[in-house]
Amino acid sequence: MAADSHLDTDVAVVGAGLAGLVAARDLVRAGLGVIVLEARDRVGGRTLNEPVGADPEQVVELGGQWFGPTQHRVSALARRPERYVEKVWSEEPYSGGGYAGYMPPGAWTDHGAALRAAIGPLHWAGSETATIWNGYMDGAIQSGQRAAREVASALG
């Protein structure tokens, strides 16, 4: 696409991680025209497997792939898996058991509202802006849904 090209759309979603993809899906369902802009050559954000051996089953998981029984949003999306692989994070040599984003103590409680506050026409989504399960997949989905509702409401 040429640098001077013009796209006619209602909403531009910047970032194709879980939050951005969920926001785009919900905005399309609300009848809005949506374009998703992603700088990488793939979608999925921090959800990513990288091969570590010749066997395609030998991978290191990078980013937020874990969810539990109380993370209802991601559970609803995962009801029809193609396959199931259980991960014991304490045995993961590359991440040392860390599966979520991190902010220093008090950052979410002190600044959470500011992290998700719209600035003019810009609305923020991402697991770190979630009001529950922040830093996790369920939080990314919740924040994408929240941002989509905000945008749809702002556009009438």
Side-chain angles (χ1 to χ4, degrees), residues 54-145:
D55 181 350
E57 295 296 315
Q58 292 179 337
V59 296
V60 59
E61 295 176 350
L62 307 172
Q65 301 83 352
W66 181 89
F67 64 93
T70 60
Q71 294 183 9
H72 305 293
R73 290 167 186 84
V74 71
S75 295
L77 291 175
R79 294 215 194 281
R80 294 191 175 102
E82 292 179 17
R83 65 184 175 141
Y84 174 78
V85 178
E86 185 154 340
K87 179 59 123 185
V88 180
W89 282 97
S90 61
E91 296 174 2
E92 174 57 55
Y94 298 99
S95 68
Y99 47 79
Y102 172 77
M103 286 193 187
W108 274 313
T109 53
D110 291 347
H111 307 292
L115 290 173
R116 55 186 167 270
I119 300 173
L122 298 176
H123 294 260
W124 307 101
S127 65
E128 289 75 13
T129 70
T131 57
I132 58 168
W133 287 109
N134 36 16
Y136 292 79
M137 290 171 59
D138 206 64
I141 293 167
Q142 184 237 20
S143 70
Q145 292 169 333

